[in-house]
Amino acid sequence: MLLTALEFLGLVAFAASGALAAVRARLDVFGVVVVGLTTALGGGIIRDVLLGIHPPTSLRNWPYLAVCAATALIVFAFHPQVARLRHAVLLADAVGLGVFATAGTTLALNAGATGYAACLIGMTSGIGGGAVRDLLLREIPLVLRKEIYAMAALTGAVCVWAGHALDLPAGAVTTFSAVVVVAIRVLTLWRHWNAPVARPPEERSL
């Protein structure tokens, strides 16, 4: 029940962040809903496709679509108020990232994927929706240019893999790994840490 509640919290956070980005890009209500759905469900759909789960889980269970669509519509109607809840949305987003990355890794391991593949699939579960959102809005994906986001998801995925290899209780490992992801995200947001960026080459003076 706890993991299910956290999963839906993550879906709401991802859908809200996608809808807010779409509102800022001046999309109409349909575009806002589409981007919200894509952000929330994109990572899970990519994960299921990679694991051969057809149709994807989120497309077989209507509550996933309903919750994400309702969230996007609420953001469209009340976006000034939602924008003021930035810290709450970021915290919920961190929880969603932790839950999706670790649950995706666990699902991949249970499906027989190797540890290496499971970690990559778990990371993709967490960051895939946001990357697709940025591409739809004609932006370079945020995970490739700013913030420590993908590395947080990958760290949680590796923790799940290690716990699985040591044959530790799956529930405890998943919970601990999700907490690790959330802690990394909150710490990096609080300290304003970003991944290193290469300096642009200096122009030669003529």
Side-chain angles (χ1 to χ4, degrees):
M1 288 295 294
L2 176 61
L3 287 177
T4 300
L6 291 175
E7 183 178 20
F8 275 95
L9 176 63
L11 286 173
V12 169
F14 285 167
S17 67
L20 277 174
V23 168
R24 295 191 190 103
R26 305 292 296 168
L27 270 61
D28 64 15
V29 62
F30 179 75
V32 170
V33 172
V34 168
V35 174
L37 287 171
T38 301
T39 307
L41 304 177
I45 291 174
I46 295 172
R47 174 203 66 207
D48 289 351
V49 169
L50 291 174
L51 293 176
I53 300 173
H54 304 295
T57 305
S58 58
L59 300 183
R60 285 187 281 114
N61 298 307
W62 67 265
Y64 289 87
L65 292 170
V67 168
C68 296
T71 301
L73 289 172
I74 291 171
V75 170
F76 179 82
F78 302 103
H79 62 89
Q81 293 86 344
V82 175
R84 286 198 286 268
L85 300 175
R86 179 175 179 273
H87 294 295
V89 172
L90 287 174
L91 178 59
D93 180 88
V95 173
L97 178 67
V99 171
F100 290 145
T102 55
T105 306
T106 301
L107 183 62
L109 289 170
N110 292 339
T114 63
Y116 167 76
C119 288
L120 293 181
I121 290 172
M123 181 184 69
T124 302
S125 298
I127 70 172
V132 176
R133 172 202 63 205
D134 293 343
L135 292 175
L136 286 175
L137 298 177
R138 296 189 298 178
E139 298 178 0
I140 298 174
L142 183 67
V143 297
L144 301 180
R145 58 185 171 86
K146 191 180 180 183
E147 298 186 2
I148 297 175
Y149 198 84
M151 290 304 300
L154 184 59
T155 300
V158 170
C159 289
V160 172
W161 178 21
H164 181 83
L166 295 172
D167 201 24
L168 298 176
V173 168
T174 302
T175 302
F176 171 78
S177 303
V179 170
V180 169
V181 177
V182 175
I184 293 174
R185 278 295 294 153
V186 171
L187 180 61
T188 55
L189 288 170
W190 175 47
R191 301 295 297 177
H192 302 288
W193 290 341
N194 291 304
V197 177
R199 293 181 179 179
E202 297 181 2
E203 295 185 3
R204 291 170 121 192
S205 57
L206 298 176

